[in-house]
Amino acid sequence: MTVNVDVAIVGAGPVGLFAVFACGQLGMRTAVIDGLADPGGQLTALYPEKPIYDIPGRSKIRADALVDDLLAQAEPYEPNYILGHHAQACSETSDGTFVVTTSGSRKVFARAVLLAAGAGAFGPNRPPLEGIRAFENKSVFYHVGRRDRFAGKRLLIAGGGDSAVDWALSLAEVAQSVTVVHRRDTFRALPAAVAAMQADPRIQVETPYQLVGLDGVDGHLRAVNIGRIGGNAKRIGADALLALFGLSGDLGPLADWGVHIDGKTIPVDAKTCETSRSGIYAIGDVARYPGKLNLILTGFAEAATAANAAFARVFPGKTLHSEYSTTRGVPVSTQNQHFQTA
Ligand SMILES: Cc1cc2nc3c(=O)[nH]c(=O)nc-3n(C[C@H](O)[C@H](O)[C@H](O)COP(=O)(O)OP(=O)(O)OC[C@H]3O[C@@H](n4cnc5c(N)ncnc54)[C@H](O)[C@@H]3O)c2cc1C
């Protein structure tokens, strides 16, 4: 399946979503590719229910509500969302059109590419348990998403950092029971939060234990087996396992795009956000230049900068008239966003 647009955006995090609006204001049609099934990047995957306080003009907004607003702001421009697909390759035709190919064999033809790839394509750090993939997204999870997913469940949380401790305290409010398993006796989290967890009668703490096996049928857990290193094992009845060993980002798929990558970031010219490859721009957390701040608001400004720079490539010879959104307005919404998933 092919999609023809003016600008291909890799990454549906907050910055990629705002780039749809920034491009749309300049008359450029967009497709947004993301390896995750849901838009929102880190906001959706890591902290949907946390309030954010430094979005200009919003004194306090939950991360999931900001994603909803960004989708609504993008909607009049009818972007093509290609979700659950990794952007894997980028070739160029003889007339300078980019062809971005996804893991699901979609091809996006575009005159410019905006990389809003954050820390790269997210993947969880999985515990090495036999058959774990059959349980994933049914009863084994690597991020919380929405709390009500765990309502009334016997939940086992594995991990020893801030996330494990904070989520144990939070999910104890909705789960039937919470057991926290960590392979050390000490936690890498705020001491006050650890003390609160240890004092909470709704939370059972098992240390120093590690996960050794899953027991269940058709992806639905019945119990998790845990063991002490070189010692005795235990079976903990559980309906859900939340394994919080962190997510790792992988810029790997972009390595062969002919774009200079420096570690986990892509150096850009701050005036245009253009990378070392002409016509490919990087914005948001993945973009690097002297003085760069990894903040959502910085990424929003970069999206506008890159859209303005891409205009000349998308519409060669056309003059870009600088106008405010109050003058341009937005198209009448047709409620016609195109979501495609793998
Ligand atoms: C707990 C926490 C709290 C935070 N609080 C704040 C805050 O209060 N204020 C603030 O400004 N910032 C905050 N941040 C940072 C903020 O979330 C990031 O700066 C922001 O998410 C960056 O947005 P982005 O769109 O550049 O990248 P991301 O949100 O990382 O999104 C990038 C997207 O690109 C996708 N992707 C990458 N490579 C590919 C590929 N090859 N193919 C397909 N898809 C790909 C990924 O799947 C991901 O969805 C916080 C971060 C965390 C973890």
Side-chain angles (χ1 to χ4, degrees), residues 202-222:
R202 301 166 301 180
I203 303 173
Q204 191 183 338
V205 178
E206 299 285 359
T207 61
Y209 274 93
Q210 59 188 6
L211 307 178
V212 293
L214 303 176
D215 177 8
V217 279
D218 295 334
H220 298 288
L221 273 181
R222 278 192 301 237

Side-chain angles (χ1 to χ4, degrees), residues 10-16 33-36 40-43 46-47 50 52-54 85-87 116-122 250 253-254 283-286 294-297:
V10 176
V15 177
I33 304 161
D34 202 298
L36 299 177
Q42 295 178 43
L43 283 66
L46 299 180
Y47 59 104
K50 278 194 193 285
I52 305 176
Y53 299 96
D54 57 354
H85 287 244
H86 289 107
F122 284 140
D250 180 15
L254 307 180
I283 56 178
D285 276 12
V286 79
N294 270 9
L295 287 175
I296 296 166
L297 67 89

Side-chain angles (χ1 to χ4, degrees), residues 222-249:
R222 278 192 301 237
V224 177
N225 297 316
I226 62 172
R228 275 184 199 267
I229 295 146
N232 56 330
K234 270 189 193 180
R235 181 183 154 86
I236 310 276
D239 309 304
L241 166 64
L242 183 57
L244 297 176
F245 300 121
L247 293 175
S248 47

Side-chain angles (χ1 to χ4, degrees), residues 212-330:
V212 293
L214 303 176
D215 177 8
V217 279
D218 295 334
H220 298 288
L221 273 181
R222 278 192 301 237
V224 177
N225 297 316
I226 62 172
R228 275 184 199 267
I229 295 146
N232 56 330
K234 270 189 193 180
R235 181 183 154 86
I236 310 276
D239 309 304
L241 166 64
L242 183 57
L244 297 176
F245 300 121
L247 293 175
S248 47
D250 180 15
L251 282 183
L254 307 180
D256 300 326
W257 287 34
V259 167
H260 176 53
I261 295 178
D262 183 9
K264 296 198 165 206
T265 60
I266 298 178
V268 298
D269 175 348
K271 293 193 289 299
T272 57
C273 289
E274 195 164 34
T275 67
S276 61
R277 184 170 171 188
S278 175
I280 301 189
Y281 305 82
I283 56 178
D285 276 12
V286 79
R288 182 70 52 220
Y289 50 83
K292 163 80 183 204
L293 291 175
N294 270 9
L295 287 175
I296 296 166
L297 67 89
T298 318
F300 288 166
E302 291 160 2
T305 299
N308 274 266
F311 180 90
R313 192 180 163 96
V314 173
F315 302 118
K318 204 166 161 184
T319 307
L320 173 58
H321 297 289
S322 176
E323 274 180 327
Y324 294 122
S325 71
T326 42
T327 313
R328 284 187 208 282
V330 293

Side-chain angles (χ1 to χ4, degrees), residues 139-145 149-150 155-159 163-164 167-168 171 211 221 240-245:
S139 58
V140 171
F141 305 94
Y142 301 107
H143 71 275
V144 171
R149 181 192 263 174
F150 301 102
L155 171 63
L156 191 146
I157 297 178
S163 304
W167 281 120
L171 293 171
L211 307 178
L221 273 181
L241 166 64
L242 183 57
L244 297 176
F245 300 121

Side-chain angles (χ1 to χ4, degrees), residues 5-212:
V5 289
D6 298 312
V7 181
I9 300 170
V10 176
V15 177
L17 295 179
F18 186 69
V20 172
F21 176 83
C23 289
Q25 282 269 294
L26 303 183
M28 298 187 285
R29 295 164 303 124
T30 49
V32 188
I33 304 161
D34 202 298
L36 299 177
D38 297 305
Q42 295 178 43
L43 283 66
T44 300
L46 299 180
Y47 59 104
E49 297 182 12
K50 278 194 193 285
I52 305 176
Y53 299 96
D54 57 354
I55 302 300
R58 305 300 296 260
S59 53
K60 175 182 176 185
I61 182 167
R62 262 173 55 140
D64 55 2
L66 178 59
V67 173
D68 287 346
D69 280 2
L70 286 164
L71 287 168
Q73 194 172 21
E75 197 248 308
Y77 299 103
E78 302 185 6
N80 269 281
Y81 290 104
I82 304 173
L83 303 176
H85 287 244
H86 289 107
Q88 274 185 326
C90 181
S91 56
E92 207 169 330
T93 63
S94 53
D95 73 347
T97 300
F98 292 106
V99 186
V100 179
T101 307
T102 75
S103 49
S105 302
R106 304 279 158 85
K107 287 193 186 303
V108 179
F109 290 79
R111 298 293 302 171
V113 177
L114 264 56
L115 299 175
F122 284 140
N125 293 323
R126 293 187 165 78
L129 300 175
E130 198 182 324
I132 191 166
R133 285 183 189 260
F135 291 89
E136 287 175 357
N137 299 320
K138 290 182 183 162
S139 58
V140 171
F141 305 94
Y142 301 107
H143 71 275
V144 171
R146 302 201 178 258
R147 288 196 329 159
D148 55 12
R149 181 192 263 174
F150 301 102
K153 300 262 167 76
R154 295 170 303 158
L155 171 63
L156 191 146
I157 297 178
D162 284 314
S163 304
V165 173
D166 289 350
W167 281 120
L169 288 164
S170 170
L171 293 171
E173 291 167 9
V174 297
Q176 184 191 121
S177 65
V178 174
T179 305
V180 176
V181 175
H182 179 40
R183 67 196 172 94
R184 295 203 166 82
D185 282 322
T186 50
F187 285 82
R188 288 170 285 100
L190 273 181
V194 176
M197 175 183 73
Q198 286 166 332
D200 193 322
R202 301 166 301 180
I203 303 173
Q204 191 183 338
V205 178
E206 299 285 359
T207 61
Y209 274 93
Q210 59 188 6
L211 307 178
V212 293

